[in-house]
Amino acid sequence: MPGRTVPNCFVTGDPTNRLPNTSNIAFEYIEGEAILLLLNKLGIAASSGSACTSGSLEPSHVMRAMGIPFTAAHGTTRFSLSRYNRMEEIDRVIEAVPPIVAKLRKLSPYWSDTGPVSDPAAAFAPAYA
């Protein structure tokens, strides 16, 4: 889709030696589980994290071992295809992801209108009554 981009995201893993049907994309400053919830509302199935980190608030140890920063490791989302997927389904995901990421980043204390905040520790300073 022309003009549809998502800043501060990247494909994890080796750029050439990879499975042809799977892409794990790290979306910085948002949670992968939130992405999945909004994709699910649109009937799009994807995965986040791994079975060994299920139920944990910690990012995947595999992502951390790969050097993926915490700001991105929490927002990894895995998209897998089979021989039964159609191009229209791929186009639907490409169209759905940018507004989902934008919506979640608007809610993030680590993201401003212009991109990542300069001082994340100061951005998330809850006040207790």
Side-chain angles (χ1 to χ4, degrees):
M1 299 277 145
R4 299 295 279 185
T5 61
V6 177
N8 293 81
C9 74
F10 55 92
V11 176
T12 65
D14 190 276
T16 54
N17 298 314
R18 57 187 312 112
L19 294 173
N21 70 320
T22 306
S23 284
N24 193 57
I25 302 173
F27 299 97
E28 290 190 287
Y29 308 104
I30 55 177
E31 293 290 327
E33 295 299 320
I35 297 169
L36 295 182
L37 287 171
L38 295 176
L39 285 172
N40 187 56
K41 286 178 94 173
L42 299 174
I44 298 170
S47 303
S48 179
S50 62
C52 56
T53 57
S54 179
S56 171
L57 294 178
E58 292 299 314
S60 161
H61 66 280
V62 174
M63 292 294 126
R64 296 298 300 140
M66 292 170 56
I68 307 296
F70 275 99
T71 58
H74 280 288
T76 58
T77 305
R78 187 174 55 255
F79 298 92
S80 301
L81 302 171
S82 78
R83 63 182 175 158
Y84 301 108
N85 285 108
R86 297 181 317 273
M87 196 63 194
E88 297 82 34
E89 293 169 314
I90 296 168
D91 290 339
R92 197 164 132 244
V93 172
I94 291 170
E95 187 66 27
V97 167
I100 286 173
V101 171
K103 177 179 185 171
L104 293 173
R105 283 188 176 153
K106 264 189 144 164
L107 301 172
S108 172
Y110 305 113
W111 191 263
S112 72
D113 291 335
T114 58
V117 296
S118 59
D119 185 4
F124 188 70
Y128 300 99

